[in-house]
Amino acid sequence: MREISYAEAVAEALSEAMENDPRVCLLGSYFFGLSPRRVLMDELKEKFGPSRIQDTPISEIGIAGIGTGAAMAGLRPIVDIATASFIFQAWPQVVNEAANAFYMSGGQTRVPVIFHILHGLRGGGAAQHSHSPQAMLWNAPGLQIMLPTSPADAKGLLRTAIHSDNPTVFVDHSLLFEVKGPVPDGDYRVPFGQGDVKRVGSDVTLVATSYMVQRSLQVAAKLSAEGIQVEVVDPRTLVPLDKETILASVAKTGRVVVVDECHRSCGVAAEISAIIAEEGFSSLKKPIKRVTRADVPVPFSRVLENAIAPTEDKIEAAVRSLVS
Amino acid sequence: MLPNLPRDEIKDIFRRCLLIRRFEESLIGLHREGGSFGHFHVYIGEEVTGAVAMRMLQPDDKAFTTHRNHGHLLARGADPGRLLAEIMGKATGYNKGKGGTLHALPGELGFLQTSAVVGGVIPLAAGAAYASKQMKKDFVSICLFGDGALEEGAAPETFNIAALWSLPVIFLCENNSLGLGERKSSDYSGSTNAARHLNELVTPYGIPSRVIDGTDAAAVHQAMSEALNRARAGKGPAFIEAQTYRWAGSKPLWPDLLTGITDLTMAWDKGKIPQEHRQWHEKQDPVLRISREILEAGHLSREQILELDSEVRSEIGKGVLFAKESPLPDPQSAFENIFA
C-alpha cells in the first residue's frame, strides 16, 4: 500500500469529493493553516476555481450560517473555520441552528454540513488560538464529531462525513499534517462510531484522541522496550462514540489512562472516564488516570505551554504509576 | 391600497389575512382556557404583509422564519390544525411535538428553519440563496425577521456576504415597533438601534431597500415584486422594511385580546368602534383596513365579507378540534430524530 502524509490524504479526500459531487464545495480555504502544506490547498484552488472553493470575509457567524443554510437547501458545504478558537464566533449557528435543526423540525430539515477546525496546542498559539472545543461541541447534541489521527482514517472519515446527512465537526490538528501512513486505494470509508486499536498491549490501556494518539504511540513504543505493554485505543469519533472498543480494552488490561487536549474540567477525558467508571468499574484494578491540558488559559512561552500540556512525559508517568 | 390584481387574487389575500387573525384569536383563547404551550408570539397587526408576500413565492422558493411565524406559515398554506397541534405539543403537529410555537415548520411548504434565536435565520437564508446559485437553480430565499434582529451581529456579516456574492435572497424585515412610546417594565421594547432608519443599515453594502407601510397590500406587493424580480434575475439581495403598529394585545409579555375578537362590521359601521383602542380600529388594524379597501373597490359586499369570515372561522374551528383531539407524542419519541 502506498504511504502518504495526513495532509495529502485530506487533500485527496477533498479533491475526490469535489470531483464526484458538484454539491460539495468549500467555504474558506485555510484547511492547512499557515503550514507548508498550504500548497495543497493552492493546488485544489487551481483545480476547482473560486466557484467551488470560496474565499470568504472574516465573518465566522455569517459563513457558518451560510454553510448551514446552504446544506438545508441541498448543498454539501464544508465550512473551514480554520483555527478552532474562532468557532466561538460561529457558536450560535453551529450549536443552536445546525445541531438542532433536524431534531427540532421533527426530522424534516437535513443539514449535511461539515465544520473544519484546527484545534490544540501547536507551539506559541497562546490563549486565543489554542482551544480544543470538542468537549463543548460534544455537549451540543446533534453534531457528529470526528477526530482522525492517521492518513487512512483522515481520508476515510472525511468521506463518511461528506456522505452523511448530519452536521459534522472535523476536529483537526496541524501537528498531524506530516504523519505518514498507508492509505488504501479505492472508495473506502471509515464508519463513524467504530474505534480503532492503534497498538495492541496487555498491561495498560491508553485511550487517546486526535494528536494525543500519536503521542501515546510514542510512549507505548518506549515502554514496550521495558516490558510494559500498552494498548492504544483511538475512538476516532466522539459522536457517535464506540464505547465497546474502549470497555473491551479496559476489561483486558484493568488499567486505563485517558489522554486528551481539552482542559481538564468537563473535558473529553472526563466524559470517557465517567463512562469507564459507570460501565467498566468491575474490570478496574487501579483508579482511572487522566492526562489533559490543565485548567489554565494557554500561555505563550514554550516552557509555560509545556507546563500545562498533556506531554509524553506526563503520559509516561501516568502509565508507570499504574504498573508500579 | 390594493394591488392591481384580479378579484379572485384579492379575495385570496383577504382570506389568508382572516385565517391568520382568526387563528391567533383562537390561540389566545385556548391559552386563556389554560392550554399550556409555553411562551408564544402572535402575528396580529402584520397579516397583510405576510398574506401578500408569502403567496408571491414559487413552490420551490425557500423560506426562513422566527418565533413570530404563525402568520407566515398560514399565509403559505399551512394547515391550521397541524400548526395548532404543534403549538400544543401533539404528535400530529408539523414537528411531531418537538418544535412547538417557536420552531413550527411545515417543511413540505419550503420552510427550512424556524429559529427562535433573534437574527439566527439571517445567515441561514443567505445560505439557501447560495445553494441556489451554486446548484444553478431558480429558487430564491426569503428571510423573515423583526426589527430586533438588526441588532444582532449576524445581520451585517450576512448583508456583506450576500452583497459580495450577489445572492438571491430577500430580507423582509417586519418592523412592528411603530407606536411604541414609553416602555413599561412588563412590555417588550421596540427597536433599540442607533440607526434612525433601519433600511439604511444595508445601504453601505449596496443592497437596495424599500420602506413600506406593512398594512398597505399594494405597497407590499410592489416591493416584493421588485425584490423577487431582482433575485430571479441574478442581481442579488434586496431589503424591505415593512412597518406596522404594535398591536396593544402583544405589548404585554403574554398576548391578550385587549382589542377584543375582531368585529369586521367595524369596517363599515363606525358606530361600533369603541373609544378605547380607537386608533387601532380606525387606522392601524390591517384586517379592517383591507376589508374597507375591498368594499370600496367593490370586490366583495359586506355580506360576502362576513360569509368568507364565517368559512374561515369554521375552518379554524375544525383545526382546534383536530388539535385538541390529537394524541400526545409517545415519550420514547423524544429519543428519535437526533440524527438523520
Side-chain angles (χ1 to χ4, degrees):
Chain A
M1 210 183 293
R2 71 200 171 104
E3 291 222 346
I4 57 172
S5 73
Y6 176 100
E8 287 166 320
V10 168
E12 273 187 13
L14 292 174
S15 181
E16 289 170 15
M18 284 195 285
E19 269 172 32
N20 295 337
D21 187 344
R23 297 171 303 170
V24 177
C25 63
L26 249 74
L27 290 166
S29 61
Y30 282 94
F31 237 80
F32 304 104
L34 303 176
S35 78
R37 291 294 184 174
R38 67 182 183 276
V39 297
L40 291 167
M41 186 50 69
D42 294 340
E43 287 166 20
L44 288 176
K45 287 168 94 166
E46 186 80 17
K47 183 170 171 187
F48 293 100
S51 68
R52 303 293 297 284
I53 303 179
Q54 176 79 59
D55 283 320
T56 73
I58 307 161
S59 306
E60 285 84 2
I61 190 170
I63 295 305
I66 283 169
T68 301
M72 290 172 171
L75 213 59
R76 305 188 86 85
I78 302 170
V79 176
D80 185 25
I81 299 288
T83 302
S85 296
F86 305 160
I87 202 171
F88 299 132
Q89 313 300 106
W91 210 248
Q93 289 296 325
V94 175
V95 308
N96 219 352
E97 304 293 346
N100 283 334
F102 186 70
Y103 186 83
M104 75 185 190
S105 69
Q108 297 178 88
T109 299
R110 290 171 187 242
V111 193
V113 66
I114 297 173
F115 301 105
H116 174 255
I117 56 175
L118 290 164
H119 84 102
L121 303 174
R122 59 188 193 192
Q128 293 187 317
H129 288 71
S130 303
H131 284 97
S132 294
Q134 48 269 40
M136 297 185 213
L137 292 161
W138 197 357
N139 208 253
L143 296 172
Q144 299 178 142
I145 302 174
M146 57 175 264
L147 330 74
T149 62
S150 71
D153 286 353
K155 190 170 180 182
L157 288 169
L158 187 48
R159 278 187 174 145
T160 301
I162 286 166
H163 286 91
S164 168
D165 274 347
N166 299 307
T168 303
V169 185
F170 177 179
V171 179
D172 203 351
H173 201 303
S174 60
L175 294 182
L176 290 168
F177 291 165
E178 298 307 327
V179 169
K180 287 209 163 49
V183 171
D185 292 321
D187 183 23
Y188 76 98
R189 293 181 202 172
V190 174
F192 282 9
Q194 201 174 97
D196 186 34
V197 177
K198 287 282 192 283
R199 182 188 176 104
V200 177
S202 50
D203 298 324
V204 177
T205 297
L206 268 173
V207 182
T209 64
S210 188
Y211 181 58
M212 293 303 105
V213 172
Q214 296 300 332
R215 222 166 242 180
S216 296
L217 287 170
Q218 296 292 324
V219 172
K222 180 180 174 188
L223 292 176
S224 172
E226 297 177 27
I228 303 170
Q229 300 309 326
V230 174
E231 180 147 298
V232 178
V233 176
D234 173 8
R236 297 198 287 197
T237 57
L238 296 177
V239 183
L241 181 70
D242 178 2
K243 293 196 286 191
E244 287 68 30
T245 299
I246 295 169
L247 292 169
S249 179
V250 173
K252 181 168 79 172
T253 62
R255 299 176 179 90
V256 61
V257 179
V258 187
V259 191
D260 180 68
E261 259 200 273
C262 293
H263 293 289
R264 191 172 189 82
S265 298
C266 308
V268 164
E271 179 60 27
I272 292 175
S273 297
I275 290 167
I276 295 168
E278 276 187 335
E279 299 180 40
F281 189 77
S282 58
S283 348
L284 290 172
K285 296 170 188 158
K286 294 272 185 129
I288 302 163
K289 284 265 176 197
R290 280 183 288 164
V291 180
T292 66
R293 185 188 297 180
D295 283 335
V296 174
V298 176
F300 168 72
S301 178
R302 187 61 70 101
V303 291
L304 300 177
E305 191 189 90
N306 272 339
I308 70 147
T311 57
E312 284 180 28
D313 287 350
K314 289 176 196 166
I315 299 168
E316 183 182 331
V319 173
R320 286 186 188 281
S321 77
L322 292 182
V323 291
S324 60
Chain B
M1 295 261 289
L2 295 174
N4 186 20
L5 292 171
R7 177 180 177 275
D8 280 354
E9 291 201 43
I10 299 291
K11 188 179 168 189
D12 182 56
I13 289 170
F14 184 48
R15 191 179 192 285
R16 290 173 202 232
C17 290
L18 290 174
L19 194 72
I20 298 168
R21 175 63 56 90
R22 296 308 183 195
F23 181 91
E24 300 290 39
E25 288 176 350
S26 298
L27 183 63
I28 295 169
L30 288 167
H31 176 244
R32 287 187 75 89
E33 283 171 23
S36 63
F37 26 79
H39 197 213
F40 64 103
H41 307 76
V42 296
Y43 197 65
I44 294 178
E46 303 170 48
E47 288 91 343
V48 162
T49 307
V52 174
M54 299 309 286
R55 67 186 292 287
M56 295 174 74
L57 301 175
Q58 295 298 317
D60 271 356
D61 292 339
K62 312 302 179 199
F64 293 80
T65 175
T66 66
H67 50 281
R68 202 179 296 283
N69 59 69
H70 306 162
H72 305 140
L73 272 42
L74 291 167
R76 208 178 179 189
D79 175 66
R82 286 183 71 194
L83 176 55
L84 198 53
E86 184 56 40
I87 295 169
M88 294 169 82
K90 298 296 184 76
T92 55
Y94 277 110
N95 314 33
K96 299 187 276 190
K98 291 199 170 88
T101 175
L102 293 178
H103 308 299
L105 192 87
E108 71 232 32
L109 298 175
F111 288 92
L112 290 179
Q113 179 95 323
T114 300
S115 173
V117 177
V118 173
V121 288
I122 297 181
L124 294 176
Y130 180 70
S132 178
K133 197 171 173 177
Q134 282 292 105
M135 299 190 296
K136 299 185 170 54
K137 303 272 188 181
D138 294 325
F139 67 80
V140 305
S141 175
I142 185 165
C143 186
L144 301 140
F145 55 94
D147 41 297
L150 295 171
E151 294 160 28
E152 289 281 355
E157 289 195 16
T158 303
F159 297 149
N160 181 36
I161 298 165
L164 277 172
W165 300 352
S166 281
L167 300 181
V169 56
I170 297 167
F171 300 109
L172 177 48
C173 173
E174 295 177 288
N175 179 357
N176 65 349
S177 283
L178 257 61
L180 278 187
E182 211 174 293
R183 183 188 174 199
K184 287 180 287 189
S185 63
S186 60
D187 283 358
Y188 282 116
S189 60
S191 295
T192 312
N193 208 310
R196 297 284 299 278
H197 304 287
L198 296 180
N199 67 308
E200 289 178 359
L201 291 168
V202 302
T203 307
Y205 304 105
I207 299 176
S209 67
R210 289 259 179 230
V211 183
I212 57 166
D213 175 351
T215 69
D216 181 340
V220 177
H221 191 267
Q222 172 71 21
M224 276 294 293
S225 297
E226 288 172 12
L228 282 166
N229 288 340
R230 182 179 157 81
R232 291 204 204 284
K235 291 179 182 165
F239 181 97
I240 301 166
E241 179 192 348
Q243 298 181 334
T244 53
Y245 278 86
R246 183 71 59 93
W247 172 57
S250 71
K251 270 193 203 168
L253 289 175
W254 288 92
D256 195 357
L257 283 173
L258 294 183
T259 54
I261 301 280
T262 306
D263 178 357
L264 292 176
T265 63
M266 285 183 193
W268 55 84
D269 186 350
K270 282 204 167 187
K272 289 216 170 158
I273 296 178
Q275 204 47 45
E276 203 184 4
H277 305 297
R278 195 165 188 91
Q279 281 283 96
W280 168 259
H281 296 301
E282 280 188 346
K283 299 210 176 344
Q284 297 165 357
D285 181 348
V287 174
L288 288 177
R289 175 178 175 169
I290 198 169
S291 303
R292 289 186 191 104
E293 291 171 347
I294 283 171
L295 263 180
E296 273 170 37
H299 288 309
L300 295 173
S301 66
R302 293 174 187 181
E303 292 70 29
Q304 285 170 323
I305 285 177
L306 294 176
E307 196 183 307
L308 189 63
D309 184 41
S310 165
E311 280 172 32
V312 164
R313 292 170 92 149
S314 148
E315 186 183 342
I316 299 289
K318 282 182 198 144
V320 170
L321 203 64
F322 169 81
K324 278 185 168 175
E325 287 178 351
S326 285
L328 288 165
D330 176 356
Q332 278 308 306
S333 70
F335 303 97
E336 294 166 2
N337 297 140
I338 302 164
F339 290 110

